[in-house]
Structures are given as structure tokens and as C-alpha cells.
């Protein structure tokens, strides 16, 4: 491990202006505390409250901003201009990763499996959508996270409300084929896929929605994930390729599902995933021996060696 003084003055970027601001404040505070406990000279920096040009006074930045503005290449671009090294994925990978459609297009181009989808609007020909991806499907804002604005559509009559809900959050909305089966998340750290985690939302919810993610304590996390050794390896390899294909680096998370035939389907990439002490990244890291504090320092170390992006 690097000596804490090698890092110099570190800005922990948290908060920001996105719909995931509150989640980012939680994650950012947890990272800040971990770095302080490890002897790092770290400070909180909320770009919603201060000019990003002040970042020039720091030696490096740990980005814990989720969603638009912080996870989409904007802050990464500002840091590039200011010549301040930062954790995680660079400008291009962040921009692609924040856009669920662009991500899927890159995966399709790399022959990586991702569920069929259509971009939809109020005026879409619903029959054509159903003909192409079938029912049920899930409606998603293309540039959101944390399951914001998503709904499952089981009957054609549910479509209009689902579109309206998603459109409140984003100008671009997609319908994606519903995958019935088990859900997994795969943490990538320093070029390796960590042990896969199975997510099991409670039986009374259709999917892993915002409420379930942040306000319920009855989600089951399977680690080990219950896949055979071969299947887990296959999913890890797939996830690593998916992560690299979009140009992501350093650390992050791939969300995926397995259908009833055993096929894996990639859902999305998170280039700045949640980092509270009960988030998924620390759970996977713990399975390979990292404490939360060690994990935070290991991510920050990526800014020393130039492997971050
Ligand atoms: N195609 C799908 N079929 C079934 N469930 C899905 C599908 N896509 C997403 N979900 C559910 O919705 C949740 C959120 O979707 P995801 O694409 O991971 O977006 P985000 O986490 O950025 O909001 C997933 O964790 C999963 O529970
Ligand atoms: Mg997700």
C-alpha cells in the first residue's frame, strides 16, 4: 500500500446536481471517512456548492458523484483540463456508460449479449414495439441510474403511464425486453472481476427499484452467488469484456441477468457505483479480503500509477 502522504491533498467529489445527489452524499461521506481513517489528507468537495476551478488546488480527486454531471464525463473533462488526476473511468468511457443505449450499441458491436430494446416516445407504434421485443418489457430513462423513472409494462394499457413517468426524468426513453430470471452484479477492480453477487429483491416487488435499493433491508445478497464455478467464470469474463468495451477502467460494476435458459444478458455499466459501507462494491471487495478502508485506498492508488484511465 502507498504511504498516505504520497497522495497529497485529495478532493472527495460528492453531491453534485443529479437525481442521485443524496446517494452520492452518503457514498462520498463514507469514502471521505475511510480515507481520513487511513491517514490521507482528504476533504469533501461538492461541485454544486463550489466552482470546479477550485479543484486546481488539489493533488488528486476521488470521484463519488453518481449520475449526470459526475458520472458522464463532464467532471472528468474538467479535471483533465485542470491536470488533476482522478479515480475511475475517463471522459469517453464515462459518457458512454451513462447512456444505456450507447452502451448497448457498443456491446452489440462487440458481440456481447444485451437484451433487445427500442427507443420509444409517446407517439411510438406500440404494436411495432411489441412485435420486436414482446411483452413484458421495462421502460427506462436512458441517462438515469438508481432505477429512477423505470416501470415494468405487462399490458399494452400500462405503456402510456410508464412512458410519462420515464419522460419526467429524461428526454430519451427506451423499452427493453423483460428478462425473467436471476439478477447478478459484477464488480471490476484493477482489471479483475471480483466474485459475482446475486441480488434477490423481496418477492413483492417486480424488480430492484429505487425504494428497494435504498429503503428496504430485506434484499438478499448472495455471495457466493449460487452459479457453478464455470458459469461464474463465464459471467466474470463477459463482464470484464463489457467493462473494457465501453472504455471503462479502474473500478466499477456491471449489472446482468440470467434467463431461464441459462443465458446471460448485460444490463448496464456503473462507472461510479454506490460506495456506502453497505453498497455492493465493498461487499465483493470484502470477499477477496479488502476492508472498506483498504478498498478506498486501493481505488485512490489508481491515480498514482496511471491505471485509472
Ligand atoms: N431487461 C430487464 N428485465 C428485467 N428486469 C430488469 C431489466 N432491466 C432492468 N431490470 C431491473 O431494474 C433494475 C435497474 O435497471 P438497470 O438497468 O440496472 O438501471 P439502473 O441501476 O441504472 O437504474 C435492475 O437492477 C433490475 O432489477
Ligand atoms: Mg443497475
Amino acid at each position: 500500500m502507498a504511504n498516505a502522504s504520497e497522495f497529497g491533498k485529495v478532493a472527495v467529489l460528492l453531491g453534485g446536481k443529479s437525481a442521485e445527489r443524496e446517494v452520492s452524499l452518503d457514498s462520498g461521506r463514507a469514502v471521505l471517512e475511510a480515507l481520513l481513517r487511513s491517514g490521507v489528507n482528504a476533504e469533501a468537495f461538492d461541485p454544486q456548492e463550489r466552482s470546479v476551478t477550485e479543484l486546481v488546488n488539489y493533488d488528486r480527486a476521488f470521484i463519488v458523484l453518481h449520475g449526470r454531471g459526475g458520472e458522464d464525463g463532464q467532471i472528468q473533462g474538467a479535471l483533465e483540463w485542470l491536470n488533476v488526476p482522478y479515480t475511475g473511468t475517463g471522459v469517453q468511457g464515462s459518457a458512454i456508460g451513462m447512456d444505456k443505449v450507447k452502451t448497448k450499441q457498443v456491446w452489440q458491436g462487440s458481440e456481447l449479449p444485451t437484451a433487445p430494446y427500442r427507443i420509444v416516445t409517446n407517439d411510438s407504434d406500440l404494436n411495432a414495439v411489441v412485435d420486436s421485443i414482446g411483452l413484458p418489457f421495462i421502460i427506462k430513462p436512458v441517462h438515469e441510474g438508481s432505477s429512477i423513472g423505470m416501470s415494468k409494462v405487462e399490458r399494452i394499457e400500462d405503456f402510456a403511464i410508464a412512458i410519462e413517468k420515464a419522460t419526467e426524468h429524461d428526454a430519451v426513453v427506451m423499452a427493453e425486453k423483460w428478462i425473467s430470471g436471476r439478477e447478478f452484479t459484477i464488480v471490476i477492480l484493477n482489471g479483475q472481476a471480483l466474485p459475482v453477487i446475486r441480488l434477490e429483491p423481496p418477492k413483492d416487488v417486480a424488480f430492484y427499484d429505487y425504494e428497494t435499493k435504498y429503503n428496504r433491508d430485506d434484499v438478499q445478497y448472495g455471495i457466493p452467488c449460487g452459479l457453478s464455478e464455470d458459469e461464474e467464470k463465464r459471467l466474470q469474463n463477459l463482464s470484464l469484456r463489457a467493462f473494457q468495451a465501453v472504455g471503462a477502467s479502474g473500478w466499477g460494476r456491471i449489472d446482468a441477468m440470467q434467463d431461464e435458459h441459462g443465458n446471460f444478458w448485460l444490463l448496464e455499466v456503473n462507472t461510479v457505483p454506490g460506495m456506502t459501507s453497505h453498497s455492493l462494491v465493498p461487499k465483493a471487495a470484502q470477499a477477496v479480503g479488502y476492508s472498506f478502508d483498504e478498498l478506498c485506498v486501493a481505488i485512490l492508488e489508481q491515480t498514482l500509477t496511471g491505471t485509472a484511465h
Side-chain angles (χ1 to χ4, degrees):
M1 191 183 115
N3 189 319
S5 63
E6 271 182 68
F7 295 120
K9 196 167 151 196
V10 177
V12 176
L13 298 184
L14 79 189
K17 60 184 175 181
S18 82
E20 293 174 278
R21 174 177 172 80
E22 292 307 316
V23 182
S24 166
L25 287 172
D26 282 351
S27 293
R29 285 188 200 115
V31 169
L32 176 65
E33 282 164 22
L35 295 179
L36 291 173
R37 279 194 298 268
S38 309
V40 176
N41 178 14
E43 284 174 16
F45 189 107
D46 184 347
Q48 181 73 343
E49 290 172 354
R50 290 161 71 180
S51 164
V52 293
T53 54
E54 289 179 42
L55 286 167
V56 78
N57 301 317
Y58 293 83
D59 295 301
R60 60 202 72 250
F62 194 128
I63 301 177
V64 207
L65 297 164
H66 308 311
R68 278 177 267 194
E71 197 174 349
D72 61 357
Q74 291 189 35
I75 199 81
Q76 290 77 5
L79 288 161
E80 296 278 349
W81 268 104
L82 298 171
N83 226 358
V84 177
Y86 54 93
T87 53
T89 300
V91 174
Q92 188 183 42
S94 301
I96 295 173
M98 195 68 231
D99 183 314
K100 290 191 166 74
V101 167
K102 290 282 179 286
T103 298
K104 287 167 87 71
Q105 289 170 338
V106 169
W107 286 343
Q108 285 171 327
S110 311
E111 290 178 3
L112 293 163
T114 185
Y117 71 97
R118 282 291 197 92
I119 292 179
V120 287
T121 66
N122 278 330
D123 306 326
S124 290
D125 175 355
L126 198 48
N127 291 320
V129 176
V130 174
D131 282 349
S132 99
I133 62 174
L135 273 171
F137 51 76
I138 183 163
I139 294 285
K140 303 184 180 181
V142 167
H143 309 92
E144 268 310 337
S146 289
S147 306
I148 291 167
M150 292 191 188
S151 5
K152 180 179 184 183
V153 172
E154 288 180 280
R155 301 164 314 149
I156 289 193
E157 304 88 89
D158 303 335
F159 182 72
I161 291 176
I163 283 271
E164 199 177 309
K165 195 169 149 195
T167 313
E168 279 170 24
H169 302 277
D170 201 343
V172 193
V173 174
M174 71 168 168
E176 185 180 69
K177 183 183 163 71
W178 183 264
I179 311 288
S180 355
R182 293 189 292 174
E183 180 167 357
F184 299 95
T185 198
I186 304 86
V187 173
I188 311 291
L189 180 66
N190 289 335
Q192 287 200 312
L194 302 188
V196 174
I197 304 179
R198 193 186 71 251
L199 304 179
E200 223 176 284
K203 296 274 178 287
D204 60 325
V205 296
F207 63 95
Y208 198 38
D209 58 13
Y210 187 93
E211 171 68 16
T212 312
K213 276 183 184 169
Y214 301 113
N215 298 329
R216 289 186 64 150
D217 52 12
D218 52 353
V219 180
Q220 304 277 321
Y221 302 101
I223 189 166
C225 64
L227 291 168
S228 69
E229 207 173 304
D230 278 0
E231 276 188 315
E232 180 168 8
K233 240 210 186 90
R234 189 154 62 87
L235 182 54
Q236 284 173 314
N237 286 336
L238 197 59
S239 301
L240 197 52
R241 280 167 55 211
F243 191 74
Q244 287 163 346
V246 297
S249 57
W251 72 295
R253 242 184 57 214
I254 296 280
D255 290 343
M257 297 192 73
Q258 186 182 38
D259 68 21
E260 61 265 22
H261 309 295
N263 301 312
F264 291 118
W265 298 96
L266 300 161
L267 294 182
E268 59 142 0
V269 57
N270 299 287
T271 53
V272 187
M275 272 296 276
T276 65
S277 54
H278 53 270
S279 294
L280 297 161
V281 173
K283 278 190 177 53
Q286 194 182 32
V288 290
Y290 286 86
S291 68
F292 184 71
D293 294 4
E294 286 165 346
L295 169 65
C296 293
V297 172
I299 294 171
L300 188 61
E301 273 178 8
Q302 296 166 353
T303 62
L304 291 176
T305 53
T307 55
H309 42 85

